[in-house]
Amino acid sequence: MTYQMSHQWDTATPVSLHAHIIPMASGSGAAKFDFAYAWINVGSEMPAANGWTSGSVTFNVTPDMQYKQKILSIGSITPTTQVESSILVLKVERPGSSDATDTYTTSKDHGTVSANIGVLSFDLHYQKSKAGTVSPYPEH
């Protein structure tokens, strides 16, 4: 995913990422999600894979969560040299059975049985500090 930062963004404040998910099976376990992100400023190159920041988050599922929208917090990212119009590139994947710490393995009772988490959307929250910028191409 990509998020182009608004010209209203207060570049001195962190951005917060989360996903809206739906556990699709009535079971318990930990669903692990790996992520990696990189910032790209106007005029700069996309960093090589070793220049991305990576991590993982775990969401604990219980049977009563089946078919209910839940929030998966991915985390807060503090900018360093980013400005308005900087682009945040985000990759999220679930390792599933290839990772022993992902224990939410209950199958759905319909469709693709192993697809036990639905992803509705991803959100990026940020703090605004101004109405925008005069220049359509801000530089700091």
Side-chain angles (χ1 to χ4, degrees), residues 14-117:
V15 298
S16 178
L17 290 159
H18 71 264
H20 293 256
I21 62 173
I22 299 178
M24 300 297 290
S26 179
S28 295
K32 181 181 178 186
F33 297 85
D34 295 330
F35 64 86
Y37 67 87
W39 286 100
I40 306 169
N41 292 334
V42 173
S44 64
E45 293 181 4
M46 169 80 91
N50 63 0
W52 289 47
T53 301
S54 61
S56 64
V57 293
T58 301
F59 184 83
N60 293 311
V61 180
T62 57
D64 64 316
M65 293 179 180
Q66 185 180 22
Y67 303 132
K68 295 177 182 168
Q69 181 185 173
K70 299 294 179 181
I71 300 292
L72 170 70
S73 177
I74 297 171
S76 180
I77 301 171
T78 301
T80 53
T81 61
Q82 288 68 46
V83 297
E84 302 87 347
S85 284
S86 289
I87 295 176
L88 178 64
V89 181
L90 173 68
K91 178 181 92 167
V92 179
E93 61 186 355
R94 186 171 173 210
S97 61
S98 68
D99 189 316
T101 63
D102 191 319
T103 59
Y104 180 55
T105 58
T106 307
S107 294
K108 293 185 331 206
D109 61 0
H110 60 281
T112 305
V113 296
S114 61
N116 61 5
I117 293 213

